[in-house]
Amino acid sequence: MRALIPLPIVLPLAGAGLSIALGRWRWAQRAIGLLVLAATTAISIVLLVRVDRDGAGAVQVGGWAAPGGITLVADRFSAIMLAIASVMLLAVLVYAIGQGGSERTRVAFHPVYLVLAAGVGASFLTGDLFNLFVAFEMMLTASYVLITLGSQRAQIRAGTTYVVISLVASALFLAALALLYAATGTVNLADLSVRLAELPSEVRVAFSLLLLLVFGIKAALFPLFFWLPDSYPTAPSPVTAVFAGLLTKVGIYAIVRTQLLLVAPDDRPAGLILAIAALTMLVGVLGAIAQDDIKRILSFHIVSQIGYMVMGLGLFSVAGIAGAVFYIVHHIVVKTTLFLVSGLVEHSAGTCGLGRIGGIARRFPLVGWLFLLPALSLAGIPPFSGFVAKVGLVQAGVEGRAWAVVAVSVLVSVLTLFSMTKIWGGAFWGEPQVEVEPEQAIVARWGGTVPMLGATTALVVLSLAIAAFAGPLYELAERAAADLLDPAGYVGLVLR
Amino acid sequence: MSVVLAAAAAALFGFGTWLLLQRRLTRTIIGIGLLGHGANVLLLLSARRRGRPVFVGAPGPFADPLPQALALTAIVITFGVTAFLLSLAWRSFELTGDDLAEDDVEDRRIARSRVLADEEVVDEELLAAELADETRVSIDEEAP
């Protein structure tokens, strides 16, 4: 099993190199991209099954022993994240190939997309805070290119905001790393976990808050979320979908990992995290209600949903963290799907502005269904996956007696439903306003090309499957949460 | 020595932050460069046995190599990203004729749609937008 752990990083990187070399032939780039991501998906699913059965695995790259060398760790949490992320990356690539756009016109799309995949994989697998920084940079640099690939005016404007805020977060991350190294003499997560415990309590709390700030910018927590709804909607739909599904969740992964592994139970800023969670949920959903464009509404919902995941973390109980893990998985699938559907709407109606479209459900019934199911799931309507995830979190909140945040989370659910009905009423019901006649017959008949509809349908089925197999998946999330709350296992595995 | 370096890092972070808050993209980029330098100085400061020889085999204990490796990696990353940002600024200059950070169009539209609800708020925002536009016009005139 240990031989598999580096592959989700190595394969996409090798594929990216090959893809640049074969940039002249688009079919070769497509074949490489699909093959590499399919292989990564298969490997990460095998990894998840093996890790769940045999326990976590660690690799010391190059044979250098733990605190000094480069450590890769696959435990249940990272294996779950890796598996779901690989599936999303594959589905979105299929969609992008069907849509054309920058995938067809720019040589850079495929190599950069694979670098993004490698960066996401490396973020989940690394056992070392500095390599987390490098993995973040890999992922972010690829995302800078993807978000500005069309080099249109709006993309450059939004891309600039995105790049600048990400770089500020990176500079803060580096400063935090320097301070941590000065205080402890290590950047290995397991070693840090041991040595931080020797420091005075105030210093540990300061580090905990500093890391929360750094990753909070990447994860778009209140009050650091303002860049997200501004920059995401301008990118092409497949790019927005993969960003919405994965990038902020990598930030959440880093928050969960560092707060649970590095910060001792007494120093955890639980009250602060719960307050941030409530405000993130509330401000995000209120922002969404004010918007008038499908992609922008969905972007604000990303912020709002991040609040739920942080709420689970802030409870610092097995039930809460299991709820957060399940919520992350559900959210990645549903959010990616919704952005892919907004791409279908844009593709068939020519725009995403609610005032300028209508009647999609009548004209393209399949697109209507593909939106309706994940939208109800996002709002938390039974029997969809969002309902299971929210019930888990609310139960954990009640057990933890965090009444205020539970009340906010229920209220935000209702408001989410409200803004989903706003999209439904504006775009899918009513009379068709603009008659754009798509060139291809298949688009005119169904609202998208076969790969676009196929990828979106597959993701909708996946989200229904998450709801159908919620029992075993929730148990897996509970095992992952129990691992996360007991850092001794992780530390023992790495420093053995 | 440490105090001087720490002060240097603090100054770099301070100036970097100030430059970041400017409306011009070129200044923002320099600000980001300064932030990166500040972080690198901090990384070097975090080393054990500072000021010792770098190589193994020199008399006495040698300097801690890890922070230097970390700083080197960080410098390479900052370098690449700065190059990317400069090309963004150039593209922005090509498209708009200047490199001022632009307002979010959709935000402006929503702010304007609140005219009836809250005139005061909108007035301030429109004023700010007009100011920005005026700056833009004056720069256009300067350009040959």
Side-chain angles (χ1 to χ4, degrees):
Chain A
M1 180 189 83
R2 290 178 50 218
L4 290 180
I5 294 176
L7 286 181
I9 308 167
V10 175
L11 274 184
L13 274 186
L18 207 60
S19 190
I20 294 175
L22 299 176
R24 192 177 294 171
W25 299 282
R26 195 51 37 91
W27 62 267
Q29 284 196 319
R30 286 178 178 173
I32 293 168
L34 291 173
L35 274 178
V36 163
L37 289 179
T40 315
T41 307
I43 290 167
S44 36
I45 290 172
V46 171
L47 207 55
L48 174 60
V49 172
R50 298 283 296 272
V51 164
D52 190 40
R53 199 182 58 198
D54 309 336
V59 173
Q60 313 293 347
V61 176
W64 296 85
I70 293 174
T71 311
L72 298 177
V73 187
D75 67 349
R76 285 197 181 96
F77 185 39
S78 44
I80 293 172
M81 297 295 288
L82 191 65
I84 198 74
S86 311
V87 175
M88 290 307 115
L89 284 162
L90 180 63
V92 171
L93 186 66
V94 172
Y95 182 98
I97 288 174
Q99 194 192 28
S102 59
E103 188 273 331
R104 196 159 297 163
T105 53
R106 309 272 168 169
V107 183
F109 180 86
H110 281 279
V112 169
Y113 192 79
L114 289 176
V115 173
L116 182 85
V120 171
S123 310
F124 291 146
L125 288 175
T126 182
D128 172 323
L129 211 52
F130 190 77
N131 281 309
L132 185 63
F133 168 75
V134 175
F136 265 152
E137 289 307 306
M138 243 158 85
M139 178 181 90
L140 289 173
T141 311
S143 73
Y144 304 155
V145 178
L146 285 175
I147 209 169
T148 54
L149 203 55
S151 52
Q152 301 299 309
R153 184 168 173 170
Q155 290 180 335
I156 297 289
R157 183 193 61 70
T160 311
T161 319
Y162 177 66
V163 176
V164 168
I165 190 74
S166 303
L167 285 179
V168 172
S170 298
L172 282 175
F173 192 179
L174 259 187
L177 271 169
L179 295 175
L180 270 172
Y181 188 80
T184 61
T186 180
V187 286
N188 184 295
L189 281 172
D191 205 20
L192 267 177
S193 166
V194 177
R195 298 214 200 160
L196 268 177
E198 297 159 7
L199 295 179
S201 172
E202 308 83 57
V203 182
R204 282 181 293 174
V205 173
F207 277 130
S208 150
L209 293 180
L210 190 55
L211 289 173
L212 189 64
L213 171 74
V214 168
F215 299 130
I217 299 179
K218 314 241 183 211
L221 294 186
F222 177 86
L224 307 165
F225 65 89
F226 48 85
W227 55 270
L228 189 146
D230 186 34
S231 52
Y232 277 19
T234 55
S237 313
V239 172
T240 314
V242 82
F243 283 16
L246 297 181
L247 296 198
T248 44
K249 262 51 76 182
V250 177
I252 288 289
Y253 169 85
I255 290 178
V256 172
R257 178 67 79 197
T258 49
Q259 294 295 327
L260 290 177
L261 185 59
L262 300 187
V263 186
D266 302 339
D267 304 329
R268 287 173 185 152
L272 177 71
I273 291 182
L274 283 179
I276 289 175
L279 285 168
T280 311
M281 283 186 237
L282 206 57
V283 172
V285 84
L286 291 178
I289 287 174
Q291 301 298 317
D292 203 17
D293 178 288
I294 299 179
K295 281 185 173 179
R296 287 181 67 93
I297 294 178
L298 292 176
S299 295
F300 270 101
H301 275 299
I302 302 175
V303 178
S304 160
Q305 308 284 308
I306 293 285
Y308 283 96
M309 303 164 200
V310 180
M311 165 187 168
L313 170 70
L315 295 168
F316 289 110
S317 62
V318 172
I321 290 161
V325 172
F326 190 86
Y327 203 96
I328 293 173
V329 172
H330 139 78
H331 172 88
I332 288 179
V333 178
V334 165
K335 201 83 225 180
T336 311
T337 318
L338 283 173
F339 271 102
L340 291 183
V341 175
S342 78
L344 283 171
V345 170
E346 202 174 21
H347 200 68
S348 55
T351 171
C352 266
L354 284 181
R356 285 160 278 170
I357 42 176
I360 302 257
R362 187 177 301 167
R363 232 185 121 197
F364 306 113
L366 180 61
V367 178
W369 281 107
L370 289 179
F371 176 81
L372 185 64
L373 298 177
L376 291 178
S377 179
L378 188 77
I381 304 293
F384 298 106
S385 53
F387 174 71
V388 184
K390 280 181 181 164
V391 165
L393 280 176
V394 167
Q395 267 181 354
V398 171
E399 276 169 27
R401 300 182 179 282
W403 306 114
V405 77
V406 167
V408 170
S409 73
V410 174
L411 173 70
V412 169
S413 263
V414 178
L415 293 176
T416 309
L417 185 62
F418 169 72
S419 69
M420 287 297 131
T421 49
K422 183 176 165 183
I423 298 183
W424 183 255
F428 290 88
W429 268 348
E431 291 302 314
Q433 291 201 4
V434 199
E435 278 296 330
V436 184
E437 228 11 87
E439 292 161 20
Q440 294 157 289
I442 180 88
V443 181
R445 173 84 181 78
W446 295 103
T449 59
V450 176
M452 291 167 81
L453 291 168
T456 317
T457 313
L459 290 188
V460 171
V461 171
L462 179 62
S463 84
L464 294 179
I466 291 178
F469 297 100
L473 283 174
Y474 215 91
E475 282 165 16
L476 174 65
E478 277 175 347
R479 291 195 291 276
D483 286 356
L484 281 168
L485 276 172
D486 175 31
Y490 186 100
V491 172
L493 180 76
V494 176
L495 295 183
R496 185 172 49 194
Chain B
M1 199 53 202
S2 300
V3 176
V4 176
L5 276 180
L12 284 169
F13 267 98
F15 287 126
T17 310
W18 183 71
L19 281 171
L20 263 184
L21 300 176
Q22 305 289 311
R23 232 186 142 80
R24 276 183 193 288
L25 203 47
T26 33
R27 294 195 185 180
T28 310
I29 295 171
I30 297 174
I32 284 177
L34 289 187
L35 282 188
H37 293 330
N40 287 332
V41 171
L42 267 187
L43 268 178
L44 287 181
L45 255 179
S46 70
R48 306 287 154 91
R49 304 185 299 272
R50 279 189 302 277
R52 297 273 176 182
V54 184
F55 300 108
V56 188
F62 58 95
D64 184 359
L66 193 62
Q68 300 175 17
L70 303 186
L72 190 62
T73 315
I75 288 170
V76 173
I77 292 174
T78 319
F79 169 74
V81 177
T82 309
F84 182 78
L85 255 181
L86 281 173
S87 69
L88 266 191
W90 172 250
R91 181 69 190 157
S92 170
F93 173 75
E94 271 187 341
L95 288 169
T96 62
D98 61 59
D99 69 339
L100 292 180
E102 288 187 75
D103 288 312
D104 187 343
V105 188
E106 203 74 21
D107 267 1
R108 183 58 46 71
R109 224 162 52 75
I110 286 164
R112 210 165 279 158
S113 72
R114 279 186 310 170
V115 167
L116 296 175
D118 193 348
E119 275 189 334
E120 247 178 291
V121 175
V122 177
D123 281 350
E124 276 173 26
E125 278 170 357
L126 285 181
L127 196 66
E130 278 164 17
L131 275 175
D133 284 344
E134 274 170 25
T135 341
R136 190 183 301 285
V137 168
S138 64
I139 287 168
D140 282 345
E141 284 165 358
E142 279 169 29

